[in-house]
Amino acid sequence: MNGIEKLICGWHLTEDDFMEILSEKDNPQTAVFLAKKAVQARKTFYGTKVFIRGLIEFTNYCKNNCYYCGIRCGNKNAVRYRLTKEEILSCCQEGYRLGFRTFVLQGGEDPFYTDERMEDIIRGIKAKYPDCALTLSLGERSYESYRLFRQAGADRYLLRHETADDGHYRQLHPENMSLGRRKQCLYDLKELGYQVGAGMMVGSPGQTKKTLAQDLAFLQELQPQMVGIGPFIPHHDTPFAHQMAGSVDLTLYLLSVVRLLLPRVLLPATTALGTLDPIGREKGLAAGANVVMPNLSPAKNRENYALYDNKLCTGEESAQCRDDIERRIALAGYEMVTERGDYFSGQQAVAVPAQESLTD
Ligand code: 5AD
């Protein structure tokens, strides 16, 4: 069997298998075939549901200096902000009113938010919105911090691994950061019972077919419940200002591959995809994604959470446009739902007609 066949059948894949799958990406027939299979696989567990998450970007201070990121500490032009607990709670209130039942607290690695402060914020949100899932995305912390946050009520954690190749990791990050530590955080989070999200940018400088094959092999090993994949987009105040953006088509291809590799995964059609292509998010859904994450941050801060240039933060990207988002999702043939949207861990899949089984 070749790599594509193994992927479709749910076999364990080697890095060479992934290389073979990636070599097929420019064959339009393969891309169409994988997208079709990915959509079938998603349907088995989630039907036509698309889950929404309210994204609250609560701080753009960051102690790290990643070469790709617009909120790196070395970017002296970034206008920095932090949200207070009250501001965060009022984002949740607005989100709850709009129908969101998952809140994602995302921020740079900001030492201002000590364990005590974070714990207080997490408890505050969970006390007010016990029926909502809370996802954290605040970078690398100690096992003990992750444990505290979990006990305080956090359900999920997003921490993209960015690249699973040591050499490539070095090309993207300064000396004081390490892939080993990053991976350890992901394993710690899993052990603590979080639903965990890993992922990588597509087309980041130095990325090759080989490093992408390593990313896929790492995802297969980690078995995360969520995977964030979006194209790299340069930011003008970073060392990568003049690098090329990643490819939308390769991102879509990878979304299909990841859906087939981890059929139950919660897979967002990312903002970066929507930034490079006006119908990027719809294309993401057609490739196998099943999550969208509109922005719930206060309007006055939004433009300052600039990870890359031209990042969408109004219109379709804004949670306030929930009805527009719902309409667009419906037009694309899906149903936007407001449930928590946890990882499907049950035995019973949504019934699908026999001719739509994974292996036909
Ligand atoms: N282009 C695309 N994605 C980026 N991220 C950070 N900077 C960029 C960029 N220039 C992604 C990283 C990070 C996530 C929050 O945003 O993968 O994990």
Side-chain angles (χ1 to χ4, degrees):
M1 270 212 234
N2 66 29
I4 301 268
E5 287 163 342
K6 285 189 194 172
L7 177 68
I8 300 291
C9 293
W11 286 26
H12 186 270
L13 292 124
T14 63
E15 224 173 274
D16 283 343
D17 293 326
F18 287 121
M19 289 291 277
E20 196 186 328
I21 292 167
L22 290 165
S23 303
E24 279 286 311
K25 81 160 176 28
D26 291 324
N27 179 344
Q29 278 173 333
T30 309
V32 168
F33 174 72
L34 286 186
K36 180 175 158 232
K37 288 294 178 188
V39 165
Q40 283 176 10
R42 180 187 57 201
K43 203 168 181 183
T44 307
F45 298 104
Y46 299 108
T48 54
K49 289 179 181 178
V50 171
F51 303 101
I52 50 168
R53 321 298 197 195
L55 183 63
I56 303 168
E57 297 156 333
F58 72 100
T59 173
N60 71 351
Y61 282 84
C62 191
K63 65 178 161 67
N64 292 332
N65 212 16
C66 310
Y67 304 137
Y68 47 85
C69 186
I71 64 166
R72 66 202 303 269
C73 64
N75 179 9
K76 301 300 173 213
N77 294 326
V79 178
R80 306 284 172 174
Y81 72 90
R82 291 185 175 111
L83 302 189
T84 62
K85 180 186 175 188
E86 289 64 39
E87 286 175 306
I88 293 172
L89 281 169
S90 85
C91 293
C92 295
Q93 186 180 21
E94 165 87 337
Y96 195 89
R97 186 182 69 77
L98 290 164
F100 289 87
R101 295 296 177 268
T102 291
F103 302 121
V104 182
L105 279 187
Q106 184 172 92
E109 291 197 16
D110 181 357
F112 174 83
Y113 295 91
T114 57
D115 286 358
E116 293 67 35
R117 286 195 172 116
M118 274 322 300
E119 200 185 333
D120 184 47
I121 292 168
I122 294 165
R123 288 194 190 280
I125 294 174
K126 291 298 279 197
K128 267 204 152 148
Y129 306 101
D131 55 330
C132 292
L134 181 58
T135 306
L136 301 179
S137 178
L138 30 133
E140 297 177 16
R141 294 263 186 157
S142 68
Y143 187 90
E144 190 47 31
S145 306
Y146 288 151
R147 200 180 60 77
L148 273 173
F149 301 162
R150 179 87 185 106
Q151 274 184 341
D155 302 280
R156 309 181 188 142
Y157 205 103
L158 304 176
L159 182 71
R160 290 191 182 172
H161 65 283
E162 313 295 358
T163 173
D165 178 87
D166 264 307
H168 188 214
Y169 199 89
R170 285 271 68 80
Q171 286 180 266
L172 301 179
H173 305 97
E175 277 300 310
N176 65 338
M177 294 179 71
S178 94
L179 177 59
R181 189 145 14 91
R182 193 110 185 144
K183 286 183 172 174
Q184 188 56 53
C185 286
L186 285 162
Y187 288 111
D188 288 350
L189 290 161
K190 271 209 111 178
E191 187 179 302
L192 287 162
Y194 285 93
Q195 293 173 45
V196 170
M200 63 281 185
M201 293 174 285
V202 176
S204 59
Q207 186 173 68
T208 61
K209 207 193 300 170
K210 173 122 172 61
T211 67
L212 275 175
Q214 290 170 276
D215 288 324
L216 292 168
F218 174 65
L219 292 175
Q220 176 179 244
E221 178 193 305
L222 179 69
Q223 294 283 314
Q225 288 83 7
M226 304 170 284
V227 174
I229 298 181
F232 161 76
I233 304 173
H235 183 289
H236 62 280
D237 280 323
T238 64
F240 290 165
H242 303 293
Q243 301 286 335
M244 262 181 37
S247 138
V248 169
D249 284 343
L250 179 55
T251 305
L252 296 171
Y253 190 79
L254 286 162
L255 287 174
S256 298
V257 172
V258 168
R259 166 63 60 202
L260 289 163
L261 184 65
L262 307 165
R264 307 162 185 233
V265 76
L266 290 155
L267 193 61
T270 54
T271 307
L273 196 54
T275 298
L276 281 192
D277 184 328
I279 54 164
R281 247 89 50 98
E282 280 89 345
K283 289 180 178 175
L285 297 177
N290 63 343
V291 172
V292 290
M293 300 171 66
N295 198 319
L296 262 183
S297 312
K300 68 176 188 334
N301 303 116
R302 267 182 212 172
E303 63 175 320
N304 294 324
Y305 200 82
L307 304 180
Y308 46 82
D309 289 339
N310 306 316
K311 178 166 164 279
L312 299 181
C313 62
T314 55
E316 295 303 315
E317 195 34 49
S318 147
Q320 281 68 24
C321 296
R322 190 211 115 117
D323 293 347
D324 296 342
I325 297 167
E326 185 163 10
R327 217 168 296 127
R328 274 180 76 160
I329 290 174
L331 272 174
Y334 303 92
E335 174 202 3
M336 188 192 91
V337 295
T338 56
E339 52 202 81
R340 274 175 54 127
D342 285 293
Y343 184 71
F344 181 89
S345 56
Q347 299 295 309
Q348 187 69 53
V350 176
V352 282
Q355 74 270 20
E356 289 191 359
S357 79
L358 239 188
T359 44
D360 76 344

